[in-house]
Amino acid sequence: MSEPIKIEGVDDKPDYADLFSNLTATFNSGKTKDLAWRREQLQAVERMMSEREQDIFDALQSDLGKSAMESFTTETGYVSADAAYNRKNLNRWTRRQRVSTPIIGQPGKSWIQAEPLGVVLVIGAWNYPLQLTLAGMSAAVAAGNCVVLKPSELAPATSALIAQLVPEFLDPDCIRVVEGDVPETTALLELPFDHILYTGGGNVARIIMAAAAKNLTPVTLELGGKSPCVVLPDANLEATARRMVWGKFTNAGQTCIAPDYVLTDADTEALLIPLLEQNIREMFGDDAQLSDSYGRIVNDRHFERVSALIESGHTAIGGQIDAADKYIAPTVLTDVANNSAIMREEIFGPVLPIVRAENLEEAIAVIRTGDKPLAAYIFTNNKRAERKFLDQVSSGSACVNDVMMFMAVHELPFGGVGPSGMGAYSGYTGFKTFSHMKSVIKRGWWPDLAVRYAPYTEKKFRFLRKVR
Ligand code: NAD
């Protein structure tokens, strides 16, 4: 008899039905609704970040060559501050929100009451492998849900550490980690989760959404795109170059909201290039490969992909690569055609093309030929130009005279629009994402206005038209 043919990724698919039913039972017990439990878990996240900081730094160094300071600002420090913010605001967010009740509902009181959704799945990406799983989890826990975390397999050291630390610090009855690749995620996606938060690329997002549709599971999709950076000639170019170099080369360009490309005129480009070069040297030294502050490309596939994009223009700065070290120098390209390879996909690496746009209108036109980006940036002192840009360029978030800094503001929702994502989280928006905002009206018994009851007379009709 011949062996059954095994299809990889299908027949070796694990089964998580027990895990899911255990979490559902815990959720139904009401354990996660208790505000004291939520506060304890959020505090435990903060403790995890401080007590195991060095282990986390080591894992991030191993996966992405991240420096300790970058790991602190973008991962452990961020996760800890986010959990603390959720914890401190929990009372306010969970309070009933009174709304006014019209005459027809009198006597009565109306309010909105947040209730947790149930068991939620958080699927993280590899570029900020800690933040993208734990910040989502924090919002879900603040809202009173059970959570399954699926960290990215492309950051294996961080994924393994999350799988080790979460049961050590957090309540294993309510929060579980599943490590794995496509088969594991596919198996998880068959379960009727109450919400899915997915961070990653658009192609997999389509798989996630199709699987979620089968269970009518709502999704929040945190995706990417080409975030443009418009520089007008009146901008403070020293500060522009400094902020742009920081934003583009943090995590070796592997940031979903990194400035993807620059749009500027010929004269401004000529002034900007030496300033970019100077800032790269100041931040990463003469040879960034020797700098402790500069990261590496996550794997060989992405190294090959990003290296090939350097061919799309003239290398004005950088261009050095070292495959054995997955190193790509901070690189700036000029003479980049708008239809070149680098302009057709999200770069997600340390290569910054400068594309010519002779004025704001031309820049906006270029941006609007592409998908709506996750973030859009403009550097200018001109208020009218700023307003025009914000009004005419649709994007998930935006900065005027900086990049990425909306991430530092807890109460600014973080999410994309169109192909850059769906839904948002962070602060109260995150709490709402993982809550159902239930509408309630409570009626008094007396007086009970007869006007809404049959028989429907002319007089009642006239009255209703008036009070409507
Ligand atoms: P990735 O490869 O880590 O994948 C994301 C997740 O999807 C992983 O957990 C992975 O296991 C899972 N996955 C992969 N293939 C799957 C499949 N066939 N079926 C089910 N699940 C699958 O991440 P990526 O896609 O390389 O991430 C890069 C993209 O993410 C970029 O476009 C970037 O801009 C975007 N991103 C967005 C944000 C944001 O917050 N908006 C943050 C970081 C990254």
Side-chain angles (χ1 to χ4, degrees):
M1 229 171 57
S2 62
E3 285 284 306
I5 299 167
K6 273 199 151 196
I7 304 169
E8 205 187 323
V10 176
D11 292 339
D12 55 0
K13 204 173 61 184
D15 186 354
Y16 298 112
D18 283 349
L19 170 101
F20 187 77
S21 66
N22 290 340
L23 289 173
T24 304
T26 308
F27 178 74
N28 289 336
S29 76
K31 188 176 189 183
T32 58
K33 287 190 183 163
D34 179 23
L35 291 191
W37 178 88
R38 301 189 207 183
R39 263 185 229 108
E40 249 166 49
Q41 300 307 303
L42 294 167
Q43 217 149 23
V45 173
E46 295 165 58
R47 250 187 323 108
M48 190 200 298
M49 294 303 105
S50 65
E51 286 176 19
R52 304 304 288 273
E53 185 183 72
Q54 193 54 52
D55 294 338
I56 297 170
F57 287 175
D58 292 346
L60 292 166
Q61 172 64 231
S62 151
D63 286 332
L64 290 144
K66 278 193 201 193
S67 67
M69 183 165 150
E70 204 176 294
S71 294
F72 175 79
T73 51
T74 63
E75 306 256 21
T76 54
Y78 182 92
V79 167
S80 182
D82 180 67
Y85 186 80
N86 289 341
R87 181 171 54 76
K88 287 175 191 154
N89 284 284
L90 213 48
N91 274 345
R92 189 161 60 89
W93 294 343
T94 49
R95 222 174 275 147
R96 292 174 175 183
Q97 295 168 30
R98 284 285 293 272
V99 294
S100 65
T101 306
I103 289 178
I104 200 70
Q106 296 293 349
K109 282 196 270 194
S110 307
W111 68 86
I112 301 164
Q113 169 171 337
E115 61 178 29
L117 297 172
V119 184
V120 310
L121 173 63
V122 175
I123 304 175
W126 52 265
N127 57 334
Y128 290 92
L130 186 89
Q131 188 215 116
L132 297 173
T133 32
L134 295 195
M137 179 200 72
S138 222
V141 165
N145 297 282
C146 286
V147 185
V148 176
L149 291 175
K150 214 304 280 169
S152 175
E153 70 283 6
L154 297 188
T158 313
S159 173
L161 189 62
I162 290 172
Q164 183 198 325
L165 295 184
V166 166
E168 209 177 301
F169 283 84
L170 303 175
D171 185 343
D173 287 346
C174 312
I175 304 166
R176 301 287 295 270
V177 180
V178 171
E179 279 197 277
D181 202 323
V182 178
E184 289 76 12
T185 318
T186 308
L188 284 171
L189 287 171
E190 282 170 9
L191 298 166
F193 282 97
D194 296 289
H195 195 95
I196 297 174
L197 166 64
Y198 164 80
T199 305
N203 289 336
V204 174
R206 287 169 171 81
I207 297 173
I208 306 284
M209 205 169 165
K214 292 199 179 129
N215 294 310
L216 279 185
T217 298
V219 292
T220 301
L221 304 175
E222 297 284 351
L223 313 179
K226 290 186 79 61
S227 299
C229 197
V230 174
V231 184
L232 297 186
D234 68 343
N236 172 340
L237 293 183
E238 279 82 15
T240 300
R242 197 160 49 242
R243 293 171 186 187
M244 212 188 279
V245 165
W246 168 76
K248 181 70 186 186
F249 301 114
T250 290
N251 203 23
Q254 299 162 114
T255 304
C256 54
I257 49 172
D260 187 273
Y261 63 102
V262 175
L263 286 162
T264 199
D265 62 67
D267 293 343
T268 310
E269 177 188 298
L271 295 169
L272 201 56
I273 287 184
L275 293 169
L276 291 170
E277 194 162 21
Q278 181 193 331
N279 277 284
I280 289 170
R281 200 172 315 110
E282 279 172 14
M283 291 186 211
F284 307 113
D286 289 337
D287 181 357
Q289 195 166 8
L290 303 176
S291 163
D292 291 339
S293 304
Y294 191 67
R296 296 293 184 268
I297 304 301
V298 67
N299 58 23
D300 293 337
R301 181 170 66 83
H302 280 286
F303 174 83
E304 296 302 332
R305 183 185 63 75
V306 179
S307 304
L309 295 177
I310 296 177
E311 303 303 313
S312 293
H314 164 72
T315 304
I317 303 170
Q320 302 81 357
I321 59 171
D322 179 350
D325 191 22
K326 294 197 273 292
Y327 167 78
I328 299 179
T331 297
V332 177
L333 303 181
T334 52
D335 299 329
V336 176
N338 206 6
N339 59 356
S340 62
I342 202 164
M343 289 304 289
R344 285 198 294 269
E345 59 175 280
E346 180 183 358
I347 300 167
F348 222 52
V351 183
L352 182 66
I354 302 182
V355 176
R356 290 276 175 80
E358 291 311 320
N359 51 44
L360 179 61
E361 291 66 33
E362 223 178 288
I364 291 174
V366 171
I367 297 167
R368 289 172 65 156
T369 57
D371 287 339
K372 292 181 179 179
L374 187 57
Y377 304 120
I378 184 163
F379 289 83
T380 181
N381 276 319
N382 183 324
K383 285 217 171 69
R384 283 180 60 190
E386 165 196 320
R387 200 168 309 126
K388 184 169 187 171
F389 180 81
L390 294 174
D391 287 348
Q392 296 192 6
V393 174
S394 177
S395 63
S397 304
C399 288
V400 179
N401 297 335
D402 210 332
V403 295
M404 312 206 302
M405 285 304 287
F406 44 75
M407 288 302 289
V409 186
H410 291 293
E411 276 314 323
L412 286 178
F414 178 58
V417 55
S420 59
M422 179 182 298
Y425 67 115
S426 181
Y428 183 52
T429 308
F431 174 84
K432 278 207 294 187
T433 288
F434 292 106
S435 299
H436 167 60
M437 304 309 275
K438 183 159 71 183
S439 302
V440 182
I441 179 167
K442 178 178 177 181
R443 296 295 320 280
W445 294 110
W446 193 255
D448 191 13
L449 295 183
V451 66
R452 73 172 158 143
Y453 301 118
Y456 301 131
T457 63
E458 262 309 306
K459 199 171 156 198
K460 286 180 181 175
F461 202 0
R462 270 201 307 278
F463 177 77
L464 274 182
R465 278 191 196 282
K466 274 196 196 127
V467 300
R468 188 169 56 106

